[in-house]
mmCIF file of all heavy atoms in Angstrom:
data_model
loop_
_atom_site.group_PDB
_atom_site.id
_atom_site.type_symbol
_atom_site.label_atom_id
_atom_site.label_comp_id
_atom_site.label_asym_id
_atom_site.label_seq_id
_atom_site.Cartn_x
_atom_site.Cartn_y
_atom_site.Cartn_z
ATOM 1 N N GLY B 40 -9.432 -11.325 54.800
ATOM 2 C CA GLY B 40 -10.278 -10.230 54.323
ATOM 3 C C GLY B 40 -11.733 -10.618 54.195
ATOM 4 O O GLY B 40 -12.566 -9.782 53.843
ATOM 5 N N HIS B 41 -12.066 -11.874 54.458
ATOM 6 C CA HIS B 41 -13.494 -12.248 54.440
ATOM 7 C C HIS B 41 -14.169 -11.820 55.750
ATOM 8 O O HIS B 41 -13.495 -11.680 56.764
ATOM 9 C CB HIS B 41 -13.639 -13.757 54.258
ATOM 10 C CG HIS B 41 -12.838 -14.323 53.126
ATOM 11 N ND1 HIS B 41 -12.760 -13.696 51.883
ATOM 12 C CD2 HIS B 41 -12.063 -15.448 53.028
ATOM 13 C CE1 HIS B 41 -11.997 -14.394 51.089
ATOM 14 N NE2 HIS B 41 -11.559 -15.464 51.745
ATOM 15 N N ALA B 42 -15.482 -11.641 55.652
ATOM 16 C CA ALA B 42 -16.201 -11.233 56.890
ATOM 17 C C ALA B 42 -17.260 -12.300 57.194
ATOM 18 O O ALA B 42 -17.922 -12.788 56.301
ATOM 19 C CB ALA B 42 -16.817 -9.868 56.704
ATOM 20 N N TYR B 43 -17.378 -12.640 58.456
ATOM 21 C CA TYR B 43 -18.399 -13.612 58.912
ATOM 22 C C TYR B 43 -19.284 -12.919 59.916
ATOM 23 O O TYR B 43 -18.783 -12.216 60.791
ATOM 24 C CB TYR B 43 -17.725 -14.840 59.525
ATOM 25 C CG TYR B 43 -16.747 -15.529 58.598
ATOM 26 C CD1 TYR B 43 -15.422 -15.151 58.583
ATOM 27 C CD2 TYR B 43 -17.197 -16.525 57.709
ATOM 28 C CE1 TYR B 43 -14.527 -15.782 57.724
ATOM 29 C CE2 TYR B 43 -16.311 -17.125 56.830
ATOM 30 C CZ TYR B 43 -14.986 -16.767 56.811
ATOM 31 O OH TYR B 43 -14.118 -17.356 55.976
ATOM 32 N N PHE B 44 -20.570 -13.053 59.750
ATOM 33 C CA PHE B 44 -21.491 -12.440 60.719
ATOM 34 C C PHE B 44 -22.838 -13.110 60.648
ATOM 35 O O PHE B 44 -23.058 -13.997 59.790
ATOM 36 C CB PHE B 44 -21.614 -10.929 60.438
ATOM 37 C CG PHE B 44 -22.083 -10.590 59.032
ATOM 38 C CD1 PHE B 44 -23.411 -10.365 58.740
ATOM 39 C CD2 PHE B 44 -21.129 -10.485 58.001
ATOM 40 C CE1 PHE B 44 -23.822 -10.047 57.471
ATOM 41 C CE2 PHE B 44 -21.550 -10.164 56.718
ATOM 42 C CZ PHE B 44 -22.880 -9.949 56.426
ATOM 43 N N THR B 45 -23.727 -12.722 61.513
ATOM 44 C CA THR B 45 -25.111 -13.208 61.418
ATOM 45 C C THR B 45 -26.034 -12.028 61.174
ATOM 46 O O THR B 45 -25.764 -10.915 61.608
ATOM 47 C CB THR B 45 -25.581 -13.938 62.690
ATOM 48 O OG1 THR B 45 -25.403 -13.045 63.787
ATOM 49 C CG2 THR B 45 -24.782 -15.187 62.936
ATOM 50 N N LEU B 46 -27.055 -12.316 60.373
ATOM 51 C CA LEU B 46 -28.134 -11.345 60.153
ATOM 52 C C LEU B 46 -29.299 -11.859 61.003
ATOM 53 O O LEU B 46 -29.659 -13.043 60.907
ATOM 54 C CB LEU B 46 -28.540 -11.313 58.695
ATOM 55 C CG LEU B 46 -27.923 -10.291 57.770
ATOM 56 C CD1 LEU B 46 -28.578 -10.436 56.399
ATOM 57 C CD2 LEU B 46 -28.069 -8.879 58.309
ATOM 58 N N LYS B 47 -29.869 -10.979 61.793
ATOM 59 C CA LYS B 47 -30.966 -11.482 62.626
ATOM 60 C C LYS B 47 -32.119 -10.477 62.683
ATOM 61 O O LYS B 47 -31.942 -9.294 62.369
ATOM 62 C CB LYS B 47 -30.467 -11.791 64.043
ATOM 63 C CG LYS B 47 -29.946 -10.566 64.782
ATOM 64 C CD LYS B 47 -29.596 -10.882 66.218
ATOM 65 C CE LYS B 47 -29.292 -9.589 66.994
ATOM 66 N NZ LYS B 47 -29.013 -9.814 68.375
ATOM 67 N N ASP B 48 -33.270 -10.987 62.975
ATOM 68 C CA ASP B 48 -34.407 -10.114 63.329
ATOM 69 C C ASP B 48 -34.936 -10.608 64.668
ATOM 70 O O ASP B 48 -34.205 -11.311 65.378
ATOM 71 C CB ASP B 48 -35.441 -10.085 62.227
ATOM 72 C CG ASP B 48 -36.042 -11.444 61.920
ATOM 73 O OD1 ASP B 48 -35.867 -12.373 62.749
ATOM 74 O OD2 ASP B 48 -36.675 -11.588 60.862
ATOM 75 N N ASP B 49 -36.141 -10.269 65.045
ATOM 76 C CA ASP B 49 -36.626 -10.562 66.368
ATOM 77 C C ASP B 49 -36.638 -12.070 66.692
ATOM 78 O O ASP B 49 -36.428 -12.478 67.830
ATOM 79 C CB ASP B 49 -38.099 -10.060 66.536
ATOM 80 C CG ASP B 49 -38.093 -8.550 66.466
ATOM 81 O OD1 ASP B 49 -36.989 -7.947 66.664
ATOM 82 O OD2 ASP B 49 -39.148 -7.950 66.213
ATOM 83 N N SER B 50 -36.830 -12.851 65.648
ATOM 84 C CA SER B 50 -37.066 -14.270 65.968
ATOM 85 C C SER B 50 -36.131 -15.252 65.272
ATOM 86 O O SER B 50 -36.227 -16.431 65.521
ATOM 87 C CB SER B 50 -38.519 -14.620 65.582
ATOM 88 O OG SER B 50 -38.702 -14.297 64.221
ATOM 89 N N ALA B 51 -35.249 -14.775 64.431
ATOM 90 C CA ALA B 51 -34.433 -15.738 63.687
ATOM 91 C C ALA B 51 -33.085 -15.153 63.318
ATOM 92 O O ALA B 51 -32.865 -13.962 63.388
ATOM 93 C CB ALA B 51 -35.178 -16.165 62.411
ATOM 94 N N LEU B 52 -32.166 -16.050 62.924
ATOM 95 C CA LEU B 52 -30.883 -15.552 62.431
ATOM 96 C C LEU B 52 -30.385 -16.376 61.286
ATOM 97 O O LEU B 52 -30.801 -17.510 61.054
ATOM 98 C CB LEU B 52 -29.864 -15.462 63.562
ATOM 99 C CG LEU B 52 -29.407 -16.722 64.306
ATOM 100 C CD1 LEU B 52 -28.394 -17.499 63.514
ATOM 101 C CD2 LEU B 52 -28.805 -16.272 65.640
ATOM 102 N N LEU B 53 -29.477 -15.777 60.522
ATOM 103 C CA LEU B 53 -28.952 -16.364 59.298
ATOM 104 C C LEU B 53 -27.442 -16.201 59.343
ATOM 105 O O LEU B 53 -26.941 -15.096 59.572
ATOM 106 C CB LEU B 53 -29.563 -15.583 58.109
ATOM 107 C CG LEU B 53 -29.565 -16.174 56.713
ATOM 108 C CD1 LEU B 53 -30.256 -17.557 56.676
ATOM 109 C CD2 LEU B 53 -30.317 -15.210 55.792
ATOM 110 N N ASN B 54 -26.681 -17.333 59.159
ATOM 111 C CA ASN B 54 -25.230 -17.214 59.091
ATOM 112 C C ASN B 54 -24.838 -16.587 57.747
ATOM 113 O O ASN B 54 -25.325 -17.000 56.717
ATOM 114 C CB ASN B 54 -24.582 -18.578 59.200
ATOM 115 C CG ASN B 54 -24.745 -19.169 60.585
ATOM 116 O OD1 ASN B 54 -24.648 -18.442 61.570
ATOM 117 N ND2 ASN B 54 -25.083 -20.462 60.660
ATOM 118 N N CYS B 55 -23.942 -15.629 57.840
ATOM 119 C CA CYS B 55 -23.550 -14.910 56.602
ATOM 120 C C CYS B 55 -22.051 -14.940 56.386
ATOM 121 O O CYS B 55 -21.276 -14.899 57.350
ATOM 122 C CB CYS B 55 -23.993 -13.452 56.695
ATOM 123 S SG CYS B 55 -25.779 -13.261 56.839
ATOM 124 N N VAL B 56 -21.688 -15.023 55.121
ATOM 125 C CA VAL B 56 -20.276 -14.910 54.744
ATOM 126 C C VAL B 56 -20.183 -13.809 53.680
ATOM 127 O O VAL B 56 -20.957 -13.775 52.738
ATOM 128 C CB VAL B 56 -19.728 -16.216 54.117
ATOM 129 C CG1 VAL B 56 -18.256 -16.041 53.753
ATOM 130 C CG2 VAL B 56 -19.970 -17.364 55.049
ATOM 131 N N MET B 57 -19.219 -12.906 53.842
ATOM 132 C CA MET B 57 -19.002 -11.909 52.796
ATOM 133 C C MET B 57 -17.542 -11.986 52.405
ATOM 134 O O MET B 57 -16.642 -11.699 53.197
ATOM 135 C CB MET B 57 -19.338 -10.514 53.296
ATOM 136 C CG MET B 57 -19.369 -9.488 52.216
ATOM 137 S SD MET B 57 -20.088 -7.961 52.822
ATOM 138 C CE MET B 57 -20.135 -7.010 51.316
ATOM 139 N N PHE B 58 -17.300 -12.436 51.169
ATOM 140 C CA PHE B 58 -15.896 -12.610 50.751
ATOM 141 C C PHE B 58 -15.263 -11.251 50.487
ATOM 142 O O PHE B 58 -15.917 -10.246 50.266
ATOM 143 C CB PHE B 58 -15.844 -13.537 49.518
ATOM 144 C CG PHE B 58 -16.252 -14.934 49.847
ATOM 145 C CD1 PHE B 58 -17.400 -15.509 49.256
ATOM 146 C CD2 PHE B 58 -15.549 -15.704 50.778
ATOM 147 C CE1 PHE B 58 -17.759 -16.813 49.559
ATOM 148 C CE2 PHE B 58 -15.930 -16.972 51.093
ATOM 149 C CZ PHE B 58 -17.050 -17.556 50.490
ATOM 150 N N ARG B 59 -13.957 -11.332 50.470
ATOM 151 C CA ARG B 59 -13.159 -10.138 50.294
ATOM 152 C C ARG B 59 -13.525 -9.415 48.968
ATOM 153 O O ARG B 59 -13.808 -10.038 47.941
ATOM 154 C CB ARG B 59 -11.678 -10.533 50.240
ATOM 155 C CG ARG B 59 -10.726 -9.407 50.454
ATOM 156 C CD ARG B 59 -9.368 -9.976 50.781
ATOM 157 N NE ARG B 59 -8.901 -10.764 49.609
ATOM 158 C CZ ARG B 59 -7.818 -10.464 48.906
ATOM 159 N NH1 ARG B 59 -7.104 -9.441 49.282
ATOM 160 N NH2 ARG B 59 -7.439 -11.195 47.887
ATOM 161 N N GLY B 60 -13.522 -8.123 49.023
ATOM 162 C CA GLY B 60 -13.648 -7.362 47.783
ATOM 163 C C GLY B 60 -15.077 -7.112 47.349
ATOM 164 O O GLY B 60 -15.317 -6.621 46.266
ATOM 165 N N GLN B 61 -16.061 -7.427 48.158
ATOM 166 C CA GLN B 61 -17.450 -7.201 47.775
ATOM 167 C C GLN B 61 -17.821 -5.753 48.146
ATOM 168 O O GLN B 61 -17.221 -5.092 48.974
ATOM 169 C CB GLN B 61 -18.390 -8.172 48.505
ATOM 170 C CG GLN B 61 -18.076 -9.643 48.223
ATOM 171 C CD GLN B 61 -18.302 -9.997 46.747
ATOM 172 O OE1 GLN B 61 -19.299 -9.597 46.157
ATOM 173 N NE2 GLN B 61 -17.366 -10.753 46.178
ATOM 174 N N GLN B 62 -18.931 -5.352 47.489
ATOM 175 C CA GLN B 62 -19.401 -3.980 47.656
ATOM 176 C C GLN B 62 -20.007 -3.770 49.052
ATOM 177 O O GLN B 62 -20.922 -4.484 49.450
ATOM 178 C CB GLN B 62 -20.463 -3.719 46.582
ATOM 179 C CG GLN B 62 -20.963 -2.305 46.550
ATOM 180 C CD GLN B 62 -20.101 -1.479 45.584
ATOM 181 O OE1 GLN B 62 -19.353 -2.015 44.790
ATOM 182 N NE2 GLN B 62 -20.243 -0.181 45.677
ATOM 183 N N GLY B 63 -19.521 -2.793 49.792
ATOM 184 C CA GLY B 63 -20.167 -2.372 51.017
ATOM 185 C C GLY B 63 -19.670 -3.037 52.297
ATOM 186 O O GLY B 63 -20.335 -2.923 53.341
ATOM 187 N N SER B 64 -18.531 -3.693 52.229
ATOM 188 C CA SER B 64 -18.070 -4.386 53.436
ATOM 189 C C SER B 64 -17.696 -3.391 54.526
ATOM 190 O O SER B 64 -17.648 -3.719 55.690
ATOM 191 C CB SER B 64 -16.884 -5.303 53.084
ATOM 192 O OG SER B 64 -15.670 -4.625 53.230
ATOM 193 N N ASP B 65 -17.509 -2.117 54.146
ATOM 194 C CA ASP B 65 -17.188 -1.092 55.126
ATOM 195 C C ASP B 65 -18.434 -0.721 55.957
ATOM 196 O O ASP B 65 -18.317 -0.054 57.005
ATOM 197 C CB ASP B 65 -16.610 0.149 54.440
ATOM 198 C CG ASP B 65 -17.489 0.628 53.300
ATOM 199 O OD1 ASP B 65 -18.104 -0.238 52.616
ATOM 200 O OD2 ASP B 65 -17.578 1.834 53.063
ATOM 201 N N VAL B 66 -19.590 -1.101 55.481
ATOM 202 C CA VAL B 66 -20.835 -0.784 56.193
ATOM 203 C C VAL B 66 -21.032 -1.760 57.360
ATOM 204 O O VAL B 66 -21.737 -1.474 58.322
ATOM 205 C CB VAL B 66 -22.037 -0.850 55.226
ATOM 206 C CG1 VAL B 66 -23.359 -0.686 55.941
ATOM 207 C CG2 VAL B 66 -21.883 0.181 54.111
#
Side-chain angles (χ1 to χ4, degrees):
Chain B
H41 310 318
Y43 304 90
F44 56 95
T45 55
L46 266 184
K47 63 173 189 178
D48 61 14
D49 294 343
S50 56
L52 62 79
L53 200 54
N54 291 320
C55 299
V56 182
M57 190 168 185
F58 293 117
R59 197 164 62 117
Q61 302 295 317
Q62 185 91 14
S64 90
D65 52 325
V66 174

